[in-house]
Amino acid sequence: MLRIHFSDADLARTRIAAAPDPLWEVASSMHRLQSRRGRWAYAGWYRMARQQTRERGLGRVLRSVFLPLYPRAAYFPDFLTPADAVGDLDAALESILATPPRRVLKEVTILDRTVGAPSWAGQLAQLEARKEFVGMLRAYHDAVIAPYEEQAHARIEAERAARARGVLDGGVEGMLSGLGPMLRWRPPVLEVVYPRQVEDRDLYLNGRGLTLVPSYFNWGEPVAFADPEMPPVLWYSLLHESSPPGAPRGVDAPEKPLITLLGRARAVALRAASTGATTGEIARAAGVSASSASRHATVLRDTGLITTIRNGQTVLHTLTPAGASLLRAVSPKE
């Protein structure tokens, strides 16, 4: 277990990242390729990723370069997911290039001591080797992460809307209380479930605050930097639910009874509204045009399942009590 210790100053400086962290999504997507855990939730992406890596000639790079550096284990090097460039791919890749050679060697040594590092990993201390590696990372990102960027953005916007409600209801502590079953707020400590093979540790924020980064491809346990001197960042999964028997196989697929009742697009719209969604976010989640998403939202609103409020130039759709009751009724019981 990881115990994150907050002061009043830390609570004031805690925030939710506004966008996916591209290099963390790269890392966690590689973990998805190495495990069947949660495979049902990423079935469509998994098929696409295998096809793209094959068609773009990335299979050898994936097997011989990436997977050994990003093992689905207790540790992989922190410099591969820079803390100073969350949400910005170009800045993150530049940060990898700017990593001091001494730090690269130190973290590769930890990797070797923990699970074993590839024999060539030490070469990444050389700038030319890191330039080649960064080029490979960009190619991988473009092939298998970029096609799902809109979907990831929509999910993260919905997550931010849900956490914002927690702030409105109970302040930052209310937000921390609603982060999911693997994060437990026991003031003034956030307890984070970690893999069994990782020793318990404490992280004292010391006034720095915490950046919470929802991750589309992370599955299961949240992850923080191994080095406590690094800026405090915690990546956590957007997908907490387990696979219910007979559930549709695919990313974010609503339950079959809901699709039967409402049709696929309106079922997706209602599911998106459960955490708050704009018309554009509903359109991206359902794979329809903005005008179609607006019509579906209108039908749901006219039938009393959602309510709509204007926020600046956009509108936010949220569930009514009737809509929430419908979702609870069709959701599989654990």
Side-chain angles (χ1 to χ4, degrees):
M1 177 177 293
L2 170 66
R3 292 174 293 267
I4 303 177
H5 297 258
F6 286 74
S7 65
D8 290 344
D10 294 312
L11 290 172
R13 293 184 173 94
T14 292
R15 67 185 185 91
I16 300 278
D21 180 352
L23 287 191
W24 176 256
E25 297 303 334
V26 164
S28 53
S29 75
M30 292 178 190
H31 296 164
R32 301 286 62 75
L33 295 174
Q34 297 176 67
S35 171
R36 297 192 64 83
R37 286 184 65 199
R39 178 71 57 82
W40 65 272
Y42 302 96
W45 171 83
Y46 182 76
R47 290 191 295 271
M48 181 276 297
R50 294 194 63 176
Q51 179 181 351
Q52 286 295 306
T53 52
R54 183 171 60 250
E55 291 181 355
R56 300 197 187 196
L58 293 170
R60 184 191 63 81
V61 170
L62 181 65
R63 291 188 302 273
S64 61
V65 177
F66 290 150
L67 298 189
L69 276 182
Y70 296 87
R72 194 179 66 85
Y75 177 82
F76 64 88
D78 286 339
F79 79 87
L80 297 175
T81 51
D84 57 353
V86 171
D88 188 330
L89 177 63
D90 291 333
L93 295 176
E94 285 297 324
S95 185
I96 288 180
L97 292 177
T99 305
R102 181 177 297 180
R103 180 184 167 196
V104 173
L105 291 174
K106 175 185 175 182
E107 295 184 3
V108 166
T109 299
I110 296 173
L111 175 65
D112 192 43
R113 187 170 64 242
T114 306
V115 294
S119 59
W120 50 263
Q123 297 176 24
L124 291 175
Q126 302 169 16
L127 181 58
E128 287 305 313
R130 287 204 304 285
K131 286 181 178 179
E132 183 179 0
F133 177 72
V134 159
M136 296 174 185
L137 279 178
R138 187 182 291 278
Y140 177 87
H141 179 275
D142 291 346
V144 304
I145 304 298
Y148 273 69
E149 278 185 335
E150 283 197 1
Q151 199 159 351
H153 273 278
R155 283 299 309 273
I156 285 176
E157 281 303 314
E159 171 70 7
R160 282 167 56 84
R163 302 288 74 81
R165 287 200 188 94
V167 173
L168 290 173
D169 292 340
V172 176
E173 293 191 67
M175 182 266 287
L176 292 173
S177 297
L179 286 172
M182 293 192 175
L183 299 108
R184 294 186 295 269
W185 175 242
R186 295 183 176 176
V189 177
L190 182 65
E191 295 180 344
V192 182
V193 175
Y194 251 34
R196 293 189 191 92
Q197 65 267 33
V198 179
E199 292 183 1
D200 287 2
R201 66 187 181 101
D202 293 271
L203 173 61
Y204 293 87
L205 298 178
N206 295 326
R208 296 174 295 172
L210 179 68
T211 299
L212 292 155
V213 185
S215 172
Y216 186 78
F217 288 107
N218 193 69
W219 182 269
E221 296 90 352
V223 180
F225 284 120
D227 185 350
E229 298 303 314
M230 296 287 291
V233 178
L234 184 71
W235 294 269
Y236 69 97
S237 173
L238 288 172
L239 294 169
H240 297 299
E241 68 273 15
S242 59
S243 174
R249 307 310 237 196
V251 178
D252 300 334
E255 292 80 359
K256 287 182 179 178
L258 194 61
I259 296 175
T260 302
L261 179 65
L262 299 176
R264 181 189 173 278
R266 287 176 192 165
V268 172
L270 188 67
R271 179 67 65 190
S274 66
T275 50
T278 65
T279 303
E281 289 161 2
I282 288 175
R284 288 193 292 271
V288 298
S289 67
S291 59
S292 292
S294 180
R295 288 194 296 273
H296 291 310
T298 297
V299 171
L300 294 174
R301 185 170 60 252
D302 289 346
T303 53
L305 296 177
I306 68 171
T307 186
T308 302
I309 59 172
R310 180 162 293 280
N311 180 23
Q313 298 300 310
T314 64
V315 294
L316 183 69
H317 307 286
T318 58
L319 293 182
T320 63
S325 295
L326 175 60
L327 280 186
R328 285 195 297 271
V330 301
S331 294
K333 306 300 185 291
E334 295 295 335

